[in-house]
């Protein structure tokens, strides 16, 4: 498979995945950008993987999990333009606002937990594949998810 | 159910996801730039660059034609038979536009790496310089006084026409002028340079006067600019309309090689060989049996600093047998090549700063 072909097929869905992971369009673009530059530069290695798609998803997930744990310098380089908030237009109904408390709460979860939620409830992956993407045991995946759900259930009210 | 709310929240935010088109272009642009930047870190690449361009080997005896070098890892093997001390390579550029059988080497450059191996000097030899070309049995050429660019033609045509003959006879013809024996040679066709230039993401060139292509009407403005393969090739073919004609063309070609070396210097070994591979059959290298990776390893420190040297000041014109030749100032060219042989070019150029081409980067 060629890089071009891969990008044609997968870039849009990787970007969607990144938006769900990060909850923020700008961060998502940065994460995808950084990941895909490395994919571009190392395409031959990526293409050798059993499933390039899964390989890249794992790269992207790691990029997200490590995001901003790196040096200040790297952060500055990656954000040439200061991120400005993209308004999410759900204020037309109180009901919608209520529901977006979920979104708001997602942002407060530890990253591994959020990633596990996105992989199960957005991407619809079985726990075995989630464990593969996150590089942990299946039991750990289930622990992440049950802890995250417990947090959401108990604290969803009135925080955002 | 919290699970349902989660699914709904994700679905609802799908409309946040922007179009991937602009991001894709950014990724590709930045990937090219980062690839270039790696060079600085990987001196190996740099060395390769020089090598590649210069490519080395000598006298053409064992010119291996038409094969891009096989990719190698980042860690070349142990030191080989490359001789210690300064190294000299012969680089010939062939422009075969329209004529594949009667190529003349209009771009002749001697690449000199001092024993310190920390830089490369590119000394351009004007094609109209008159030299005594020795007889050459392999092609049946009887010898004679000719312009230096004819040596390639006489060596590569005739009974056993091949690239190696052209290189060897050019090297022999240069011996009177330079006194050098070459450690390697490279022959590159202009069309291959176009592909290689594109493979490295273009070259950055700086002009001190505007040049309008007589072939394409393309305008190259004053100042620094990044050129893709087609543009760069167009530029280094221009000589008509320039104040000193072919001498200015040669200077541009020299600057182009330096710019290309600069790009090479930013590549890792794998990327470098890939870029060279883009040359296909248009790049022929003779390293005199020294494995290319080894050569690169030895020269890794040199490619980062490429210095253009011009023999083009104080050229005299003379006419012999109805043909006009250029003759470099004998004292100047003798001094220059004597310094090359003594491995003292840096000191000599310090006393002749007007021969150093400037303005690059």
């Amino acid at each position: 498979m060629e890089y071009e072909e891969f990008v044609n097929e997968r870039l849009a869905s990787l970007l969607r995945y990144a938006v769900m992971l990060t909850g923020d369009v700008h961060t998502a673009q940065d994460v995808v950008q950084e990941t895909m530059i490395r994919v571009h530069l190392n395409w031959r290695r990526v293409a050798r993987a059993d499933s390039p798609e899964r390989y890249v998803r794992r790269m992207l997930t790691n990029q997200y999990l490590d995001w901003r744990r790196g040096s200040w310098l790297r952060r500055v380089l990656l954000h040439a333009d200061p991120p400005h908030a993209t308004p999410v237009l759900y204020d037309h109904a109180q009901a919608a606002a209520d529901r977006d408390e979920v979104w708001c709460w997602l942002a407060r979860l530890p990253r591994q937990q959020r990633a596990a939620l996105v992989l199960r409830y957005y991407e619809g992956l079985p726990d075995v594949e989630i464990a593969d993407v996150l590089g942990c045991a299946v039991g750990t995946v289930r622990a992440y998810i049950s802890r995250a759900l417990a947090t959401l259930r108990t604290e969803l009210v009135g925080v955002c | 159910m919290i699970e349902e709310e989660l699914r709904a929240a994700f679905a609802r935010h799908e409309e946040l996801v922007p179009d991937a088109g602009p991001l894709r272009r950014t990724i590709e642009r930045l990937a090219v730039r980062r690839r270039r930047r790696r060079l600085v870190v990987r001196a190996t690449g740099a060395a390769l660059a020089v090598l590649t361009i210069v490519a080395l080997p000598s006298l053409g005896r064992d010119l291996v034609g038409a094969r891009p070098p096989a990719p190698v890892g980042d860690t070349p093997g142990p030191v080989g038979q490359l001789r210690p001390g300064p190294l000299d390579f012969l680089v010939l550029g062939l422009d075969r536009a329209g004529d594949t059988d009667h190529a003349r080497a209009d771009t002749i450059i001697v690449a000199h790496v001092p024993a310190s191996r920390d830089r490369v000097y590119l000394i351009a030899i004007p094609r109209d310089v008159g030299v005594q070309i020795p007889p050459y049995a392999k092609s049946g050429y009887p010898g004679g006084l000719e312009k230096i660019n004819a040596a390639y033609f006489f060596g590569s045509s005739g009974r056993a026409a091949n690239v190696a003959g052209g290189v060897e006879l050019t090297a022999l013809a240069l011996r009177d002028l330079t006194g050098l024996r070459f450690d390697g040679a490279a022959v590159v066709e202009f069309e291959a340079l176009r592909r290689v230039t594109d493979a490295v993401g273009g070259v950055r060139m700086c002009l001190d006067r505007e040049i309008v292509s007589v072939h394409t009407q393309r305008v190259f403005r004053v100042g620094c600019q990044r050129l893709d393969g087609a543009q760069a090739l167009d530029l280094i073919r221009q000589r008509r309309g320039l104040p000193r004609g072919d001498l200015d063309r040669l200077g541009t070609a020299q600057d182009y090689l330096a710019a290309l070396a600069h790009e090479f210097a930013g590549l890792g070994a794998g990327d470098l060989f890939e870029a060279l591979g883009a040359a296909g059959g248009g790049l022929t290298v003779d390293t005199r049996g020294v494995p290319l990776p080894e050569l690169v390893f030895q020269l890794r420190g040199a490619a980062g600093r490429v210095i253009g040297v011009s023999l083009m000041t104080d050229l005299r014109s003379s006419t012999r047998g109805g043909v006009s030749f250029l003759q470099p100032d004998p004292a100047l060219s003798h001094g220059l090549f004597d310094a090359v042989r003594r491995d003292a070019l840096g000191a000599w150029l310090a006393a002749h700063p007007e021969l150093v081409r400037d303005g690059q980067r």
Side-chain angles (χ1 to χ4, degrees):
Chain A
M1 181 183 249
E2 293 303 319
Y3 171 79
E4 293 290 319
E5 202 182 328
F6 180 85
V7 170
N8 286 340
E9 283 179 28
R10 307 302 316 176
L11 185 60
S13 78
L14 286 168
L15 187 55
R16 272 200 300 278
Y17 172 57
V19 168
M20 301 310 156
L21 270 186
T22 63
D24 169 80
V25 175
H26 294 280
T27 311
Q29 285 177 320
D30 284 350
V31 172
V32 171
Q33 177 178 308
E34 180 60 23
T35 303
M36 291 305 293
I37 287 172
R38 283 162 47 212
V39 169
H40 194 297
L41 294 176
N42 302 293
W43 176 248
R44 271 174 301 191
R45 194 168 63 218
V46 175
R48 274 200 301 271
D50 290 340
S51 160
E53 196 268 334
R54 225 181 312 150
Y55 189 92
V56 173
R57 196 206 294 269
R58 204 153 49 211
M59 283 174 73
L60 196 151
T61 308
N62 288 331
Q63 186 76 38
Y64 161 70
L65 294 176
D66 292 340
W67 197 245
R68 293 197 177 180
R69 280 194 215 139
S71 69
W72 169 246
L73 178 63
R74 185 168 82 174
R75 220 189 311 171
V76 169
L77 286 175
L78 290 167
H79 287 276
D81 306 315
H84 48 88
T86 303
V88 184
L89 301 173
Y90 294 116
D91 51 336
H92 53 279
Q94 184 57 41
D98 288 344
R99 271 182 279 130
D100 274 28
E101 284 185 8
V102 177
W103 192 250
C104 190
W105 254 107
L106 280 171
R108 296 170 166 242
L109 290 175
R111 292 173 191 213
Q112 280 88 351
Q113 292 184 23
R114 176 166 182 150
L117 289 183
V118 172
L119 288 165
R120 183 191 273 180
Y121 296 110
Y122 181 67
E123 298 286 339
L125 296 186
D127 291 354
V128 180
E129 284 191 42
I130 297 175
D132 181 50
V133 172
L134 293 179
C136 62
V138 176
T140 312
V141 171
R142 291 183 183 138
Y144 283 152
I145 291 176
S146 70
R147 225 173 298 151
L149 292 181
T151 309
L152 289 176
R153 279 193 200 96
T154 55
E155 303 198 47
L156 196 53
V157 183
V159 180
C160 288
Chain B
M1 281 299 282
I2 191 82
E3 288 91 339
E4 286 317 306
E5 288 196 41
L6 273 172
R7 287 199 180 89
F10 287 133
R12 209 158 52 233
H13 286 80
E14 275 193 334
E15 69 176 83
L16 274 181
V17 180
D19 177 35
L23 182 61
R24 176 181 186 160
R25 286 187 288 280
T26 306
I27 289 165
E28 274 155 18
R29 189 164 40 82
L30 292 177
V32 170
R33 195 188 296 169
R34 193 172 302 181
R35 181 167 285 161
R36 226 180 272 140
R37 224 184 265 154
R38 283 176 174 179
L39 293 193
V40 181
V41 183
R42 302 192 189 174
T44 304
L48 269 179
V50 171
L51 257 179
T52 348
I53 293 198
V54 173
L56 316 191
S58 78
L59 302 200
R61 182 97 13 89
D62 300 304
L63 262 168
V64 181
R67 283 287 213 70
V72 296
D74 279 310
T75 315
V79 173
Q81 312 85 335
L82 202 61
R83 67 182 170 93
L87 297 167
D88 299 296
F89 303 108
L90 176 60
V91 184
L92 303 180
L94 302 186
D95 191 356
R96 300 200 189 222
D99 184 355
T100 52
D101 289 334
H102 298 94
R104 284 174 191 252
D106 281 349
T107 303
I108 302 170
I109 289 178
V110 174
H112 171 67
V113 181
S116 57
R117 306 277 161 90
D118 63 346
R119 65 190 67 184
V120 180
Y121 295 96
L122 299 179
I123 306 166
I125 312 286
R127 65 172 189 180
D128 291 333
V129 164
V131 291
Q132 185 66 41
I133 302 179
Y136 190 62
K138 288 179 199 164
S139 67
Y141 173 68
L145 176 67
E146 296 285 350
K147 294 180 179 182
I148 181 68
N149 70 336
Y152 182 88
F153 171 71
F154 289 126
S156 64
S157 55
R159 291 191 306 270
N162 60 36
V163 176
V167 175
E168 183 169 30
L169 190 53
T170 303
L172 292 170
L174 280 170
R175 206 168 271 178
D176 274 353
L177 178 66
T178 68
L180 297 175
R181 289 164 186 272
F182 294 101
D183 301 285
V187 181
V188 61
E189 295 178 19
F190 277 26
E191 274 308 310
L193 286 175
R194 180 176 57 74
R195 297 191 294 271
V196 172
T197 304
D198 284 334
V200 299
V203 293
R204 183 168 180 270
M205 294 192 64
C206 302
L207 304 180
D208 53 10
R209 80 169 69 82
E210 182 178 278
I211 296 178
V212 180
S213 168
V214 300
H215 303 107
T216 64
Q217 278 67 56
R218 192 180 273 131
V219 177
F220 297 95
R221 59 178 170 75
V222 174
C224 297
Q225 52 218 291
R226 184 158 281 281
L227 304 177
D228 67 20
Q231 293 167 331
L233 205 60
D234 192 11
L235 178 62
I236 64 175
R237 280 178 168 147
Q238 300 310 313
R239 63 189 162 88
R240 281 184 221 118
L242 300 186
R244 296 189 302 166
D246 193 65
L247 294 180
D248 285 329
R249 181 199 60 79
L250 182 58
T252 314
Q254 204 175 3
D255 292 345
Y256 163 79
L257 276 189
L260 188 59
H262 183 74
E263 298 298 329
F264 277 145
L267 300 177
D271 290 336
L272 180 54
F273 279 111
E274 196 171 301
L276 289 180
L283 172 66
T284 308
V285 174
D286 175 5
T287 59
R288 281 200 129 162
V290 178
L292 200 50
E294 199 166 287
L295 191 57
V296 170
F297 180 71
Q298 297 248 340
L299 298 184
R300 68 193 180 284
R305 193 161 170 219
V306 180
I307 300 162
V309 179
S310 172
L311 247 191
M312 293 174 248
T313 54
D314 284 323
L315 283 169
R316 289 125 198 233
S317 207
S318 66
T319 304
R320 274 175 281 180
V323 182
S324 83
F325 298 103
L326 290 180
Q327 237 24 87
D329 177 333
L332 207 57
S333 65
H334 180 267
L336 172 68
F337 288 109
D338 183 55
V340 169
R341 291 190 301 272
R342 288 185 293 112
D343 196 20
L345 188 53
W348 189 84
L349 283 174
H352 299 82
E354 74 280 5
L355 298 187
V356 177
R357 285 191 69 85
D358 55 7
Q360 291 306 296
R361 285 173 294 284

